[in-house]
Amino acid sequence: MINGSQTNSIIIFGASGDLTHRKLVPALFRLFVLNRLPPNFHVIGFARRPYTHEEFRALFTDAVHALPDYDETAWADFSGRVWYSRGDLGTRIDYDTLQSFLYGIERGQANRLYYLATSPEYYDDVLNNISGAGLAAEEDGWRRVIVEKPFGKDRASASALNTTIHNAFDEHQVYRIDHYLGKETVQNILYFRFANTIFEPVWNRNYVDHVQITVAEDVDVGHRAGYYDGAGVMRDMFQNHLLQLLSLVAMEPPVSFDADTLRNEKVKVLSAIRTVSIHDTVRAQYDGYPETTGVAPNSMTPTYAALKLYIDNWRWQDVPFYLRSGKALKRKTSEIAIQFRRPPHLFMNMTRGKTLDPNLLSMCIQPDEGIHLRFETKMPGAPDIHPMDMEFHYREGYKETALPEAYERLLLDALQGDAALFTREDEIDLSWKLVDYILSGWESPSAPPLCLYPRGSWGPQEADILLFQDGRGWRLGCGGHDE
Ligand code: BG6
């Protein structure tokens, strides 16, 4: 828990960047408005540009004005605790200057949360300099570090980054962020599964036919082409967000919400994933992607991928998990759909040609957050069956209670020392192992080729075939509607 009397400093490296501007400072300000930050805190930006404190504070005016509960007095109060320390990420002496500046505003014992919001090529510099300047030493308060994604670009670089981190910090001080874990609806997967008794008994191979995890985006790579072209959808989305969703859906019940207990269960899922057949993968690129500024001509970077995998354990043996994600798709939708098996025998008459829609549980992560349960009903006045949905929508169920931003929850958890919603070293390693395997498989001559898909579609036909050949089909996003 946060000790109310102690000073807490939140130091953001890469403070002039987009993330600080769009997410971090607005999230901290919201926490402040909600009275959830400790009473004594400072937010210190560290970056190269020569801002004064006032100029730095002014950078956030637009973003905080756009917040639904913006309050001028609160902002004046909050921004008075926002500071700027100019420095070059690679220059050691600038970290000494930062240290002196921190001593000056903290005036005594203080806890410090460091946030690596720089581009990843600076992580080594920042970590080495933090360590060299003695900024990580827990002599007069705790020291923690939040590391943004991408966490490495493959298994080897992730491991090297972990080594650099551990030269400065112990694992208990490290918070690797995956903002999907901060989403309320993602945390709700655990609440839904384990705070109810009626779903868990059917949450296994005896009742589940297959699981689909979709994270579709309607936006294209936009101005992030420079980063994205070197990453592609496997590194950008699968290594982190999709595999995290998978592990929450598939994990065994943890005995407590304690960070390591929870993460142990996720690790068991990741380590039980059967080697993926490269022929159970699809990679694709949206039309026109190579013409994007910042993308290499003839780029082979996939902006879409779909795959089938299995988890070799008692709960999930031989249940296919289909995962897909892509950019420039028909609409933004993130959904986990659990399709249950068909009833073993149907005794009722149905109009010829009518087929049964098996029970389906859809967890809509975003947008229109909620849960749908599909079941068959008798059509009035006819012997036929017809599917209907039981629906829960956050916006109706919780009315004006807004869903907090992922970064609010995660920043607060890091300040409180709760790492449950952050990824551990071994989770990262196992995720990269899977992603590396697929990426290197795609290099082989027998690998499925890179396909194309039209912008605004649901992806390439080959992804439909992946399911069709198993007698299945993709859902059309949350709620299953394609409007
Ligand atoms: C980021 C990826 O981690 O997640 C982006 O780098 C992607 O490419 C984003 O657009 C999606 O996040 P959200 O919260 O909008 O689903």
Side-chain angles (χ1 to χ4, degrees):
M1 291 301 287
I2 302 174
N3 177 340
S5 63
Q6 264 187 337
T7 301
N8 291 270
S9 299
I10 302 151
I11 300 110
I12 307 175
F13 294 98
S16 52
D18 205 37
L19 180 72
T20 313
H21 188 221
R22 278 189 313 113
K23 299 286 184 189
L24 304 184
V25 169
L28 288 166
F29 177 52
R30 282 233 15 166
L31 289 171
F32 174 73
V33 171
L34 298 170
N35 210 13
R36 304 192 73 183
L37 283 185
N40 301 320
F41 73 91
H42 300 285
V43 179
I44 302 94
F46 181 95
R48 212 170 35 164
R49 298 197 193 153
Y51 296 127
T52 61
H53 299 305
E54 278 68 31
E55 284 166 345
F56 182 61
R57 291 165 189 159
L59 295 180
F60 307 108
T61 321
D62 288 351
V64 294
H65 268 98
L67 293 172
D69 41 12
Y70 172 75
D71 176 291
E72 196 155 341
T73 318
W75 174 245
D77 193 355
F78 176 89
S79 62
R81 305 157 192 235
V82 174
W83 310 95
Y84 188 70
S85 177
R86 202 206 82 80
D88 191 89
L89 296 170
T91 306
R92 201 2 253 289
I93 201 166
D94 291 347
Y95 291 72
D96 296 335
T97 310
L98 173 67
Q99 177 82 298
S100 310
F101 181 73
L102 290 171
Y103 284 148
I105 55 170
E106 287 166 347
R107 302 207 191 112
Q109 277 221 334
N111 301 317
R112 291 185 191 163
L113 178 63
Y114 300 110
Y115 202 116
L116 267 57
T118 68
S119 135
E121 68 257 32
Y122 298 111
Y123 285 177
D124 280 4
D125 273 352
V126 178
L127 289 160
N128 291 333
N129 283 322
I130 284 181
S131 164
L135 289 162
E138 290 193 304
E139 278 152 14
D140 57 356
W142 53 250
R143 304 285 180 263
R144 298 180 188 140
V145 64
I146 299 185
V147 187
E148 256 300 329
K149 70 172 280 272
F151 197 95
K153 60 180 177 42
D154 53 23
R155 196 178 186 190
S157 55
S159 158
L161 177 55
N162 273 322
T163 306
T164 312
I165 291 175
H166 289 146
N167 288 338
F169 296 95
D170 283 341
E171 181 64 23
H172 77 271
Q173 298 171 278
V174 185
Y175 292 72
R176 299 174 192 80
I177 218 162
D178 182 322
H179 78 280
Y180 264 59
L181 294 178
K183 290 183 192 274
E184 287 289 319
T185 45
V186 172
Q187 292 158 44
N188 189 50
I189 300 170
L190 294 182
Y191 284 70
F192 181 79
R193 285 189 60 193
F194 302 128
N196 294 298
T197 47
I198 61 172
F199 303 110
E200 210 40 35
V202 296
W203 208 269
N204 56 50
R205 65 191 304 274
N206 299 326
Y207 291 91
V208 174
D209 176 76
H210 74 277
V211 178
Q212 296 185 14
I213 302 181
T214 297
V215 180
E217 297 187 89
D218 52 356
V219 293
D220 61 17
V221 295
H223 65 277
R224 294 169 71 229
Y227 147 75
Y228 193 89
D229 201 40
V233 67
M234 287 305 293
R235 294 186 176 94
D236 188 49
M237 299 297 288
F238 277 74
Q239 183 271 329
N240 34 67
H241 310 324
L242 275 95
L243 289 179
Q244 285 296 322
L245 293 178
L246 173 77
S247 51
L248 293 175
V249 170
M251 70 193 266
E252 295 301 316
V255 293
S256 77
F257 214 85
D258 158 75
D260 275 331
T261 311
L262 189 76
R263 296 186 294 183
N264 288 345
E265 295 304 336
K266 290 199 290 167
V267 163
K268 285 184 205 162
V269 173
L270 294 171
S271 47
I273 296 175
R274 190 186 303 169
T275 306
V276 174
S277 161
I278 212 67
H279 298 289
D280 285 339
T281 67
V282 173
R283 55 182 168 145
Q285 198 179 70
Y286 61 79
D287 280 334
Y289 169 77
E291 281 88 66
T292 314
T293 313
V295 169
N298 308 320
S299 167
M300 295 285 285
T301 300
T303 58
Y304 175 101
L307 56 90
K308 172 166 75 169
L309 57 77
Y310 293 94
I311 297 169
D312 282 336
N313 63 16
W314 272 62
R315 188 188 282 265
W316 294 118
Q317 191 68 30
D318 293 334
V319 175
F321 286 76
Y322 300 98
L323 277 56
R324 66 174 167 166
S325 179
K327 294 213 182 277
L329 294 175
K330 182 143 188 168
R331 64 190 163 93
K332 182 174 176 78
T333 177
S334 298
E335 182 200 36
I336 298 170
I338 321 270
Q339 179 156 322
F340 293 91
R341 288 174 183 267
R342 290 166 188 278
H345 169 67
L346 269 189
F347 62 84
M348 51 283 280
N349 294 321
M350 288 196 291
T351 309
R352 207 147 25 140
K354 176 96 178 61
T355 54
L356 181 101
D357 284 305
N359 295 133
L360 185 130
L361 181 83
S362 149
M363 310 181 88
C364 295
I365 306 298
Q366 63 187 25
D368 194 9
E369 294 81 358
I371 293 175
H372 304 240
L373 179 64
R374 182 177 73 195
F375 50 88
E376 293 289 11
T377 60
K378 178 183 179 300
M379 276 179 85
D384 282 341
I385 52 175
H386 188 72
M388 285 290 170
D389 267 9
M390 265 189 212
E391 300 191 20
F392 154 64
H393 297 271
Y394 273 81
R395 66 166 188 277
E396 284 163 13
Y398 289 106
K399 303 275 185 301
E400 66 282 0
T401 314
L403 287 170
E405 264 283 313
Y407 279 95
E408 288 172 35
R409 168 69 193 250
L410 295 173
L411 281 161
L412 194 59
D413 280 4
L415 283 166
Q416 292 178 335
D418 183 354
L421 299 177
F422 294 83
T423 42
R424 208 170 53 188
E425 185 179 3
D426 45 1
E427 290 178 78
I428 298 263
D429 184 58
L430 288 163
S431 312
W432 273 122
K433 184 178 165 203
L434 174 79
V435 167
D436 277 7
Y437 181 81
I438 293 171
L439 291 176
S440 70
W442 284 347
E443 302 282 310
S444 94
S446 61
L450 180 74
C451 320
L452 288 178
Y453 61 98
R455 283 167 169 272
S457 70
W458 279 114
Q461 276 181 357
E462 287 75 0
D464 295 336
I465 296 169
L466 180 72
L467 268 71
F468 184 73
Q469 64 201 10
D470 292 346
R472 302 182 174 111
W474 289 110
R475 300 244 312 144
L476 298 171
C478 285
H481 313 299
D482 202 11
E483 73 282 355

